[in-house]
Amino acid sequence: MERKKRIVIILLVFAVIIIWTGRVMKINMPESELDLTKLKSEDIEKIHGYFYSDSYNGENDSSVELTRGQIEKFIEIMNQVKLTKKVSEKKARSNGASITYTVTMKDGTQYVLRPGQDFKVNDTYYKFQNYDMLWDKITTFMSTW
């Protein structure tokens, strides 16, 4: 009987260690400086979209300020984006032509977002976890302006 108690205690200790390790690893997982799932349209002053062609030379080919309706739709899509680990700029995958959004919050904070297989927030790329699920929605939205 004493042996069974020791085995149970050892198993419980291992279980606690495994659970604790999993939580610590999750807490330390790099996250985007902007939680897109919590972005609210009422916190946004304006959004500018800049289109760059495949032959990006540092200048945008066209730009537009999104209307309130477009901002609402943009936020609806961005709230579904799941970003995970950071990706180095060298390894970040591009989709050719792209659009960069400058989001200006009512408090004056600005975020630069560049959706793609690897999603750029300001100067950092993140793995776009649900890219396959959302990319059609993003490209359809981008084609509306």
Side-chain angles (χ1 to χ4, degrees):
M1 187 67 167
E2 199 61 34
R3 186 171 186 212
K4 287 182 181 180
K5 282 184 182 179
R6 279 192 212 146
I7 292 172
V8 168
I9 290 172
I10 290 171
L11 289 175
L12 286 172
V13 168
F14 278 123
V16 168
I17 290 171
I18 290 170
I19 291 169
W20 179 79
T21 303
R23 287 187 179 171
V24 169
M25 289 178 75
K26 187 173 182 177
I27 289 169
N28 291 329
M29 185 174 180
E31 292 182 6
S32 167
E33 55 203 274
L34 172 65
D35 185 351
L36 295 172
T37 63
K38 295 181 180 174
L39 198 58
K40 297 178 187 168
S41 63
E42 59 265 18
D43 296 334
I44 296 173
E45 181 71 31
K46 62 184 173 182
I47 298 177
H48 271 93
Y50 303 91
F51 175 77
Y52 299 94
S53 68
D54 206 13
S55 59
Y56 176 65
N57 61 5
E59 296 181 24
N60 60 309
D61 294 334
S62 64
S63 69
V64 66
E65 185 171 330
L66 275 59
T67 65
R68 262 293 147 209
Q70 289 170 322
I71 289 173
E72 296 285 333
K73 184 65 178 168
F74 179 78
I75 297 307
E76 179 185 316
I77 296 168
M78 291 299 109
N79 285 168
Q80 299 173 55
V81 170
K82 291 187 174 105
L83 302 179
T84 57
K85 65 182 181 176
K86 290 182 181 181
V87 177
S88 75
E89 188 169 355
K90 287 183 178 182
K91 292 184 180 180
R93 292 178 284 169
S94 173
N95 298 56
S98 63
I99 295 180
T100 298
Y101 298 94
T102 300
V103 179
T104 304
M105 308 300 284
K106 287 187 178 175
D107 68 3
T109 306
Q110 281 194 331
Y111 297 100
V112 177
L113 308 178
R114 190 174 205 176
Q117 289 174 316
D118 294 311
F119 200 110
K120 187 175 183 182
V121 177
N122 292 338
D123 294 325
T124 307
Y125 287 91
Y126 298 90
K127 188 74 185 148
F128 188 171
Q129 184 178 346
N130 54 345
Y131 169 85
D132 291 334
M133 183 180 92
L134 290 178
W135 190 246
D136 286 343
K137 287 182 183 181
I138 291 171
T139 55
T140 300
F141 172 76
M142 291 188 302
S143 68
T144 63
W145 55 274

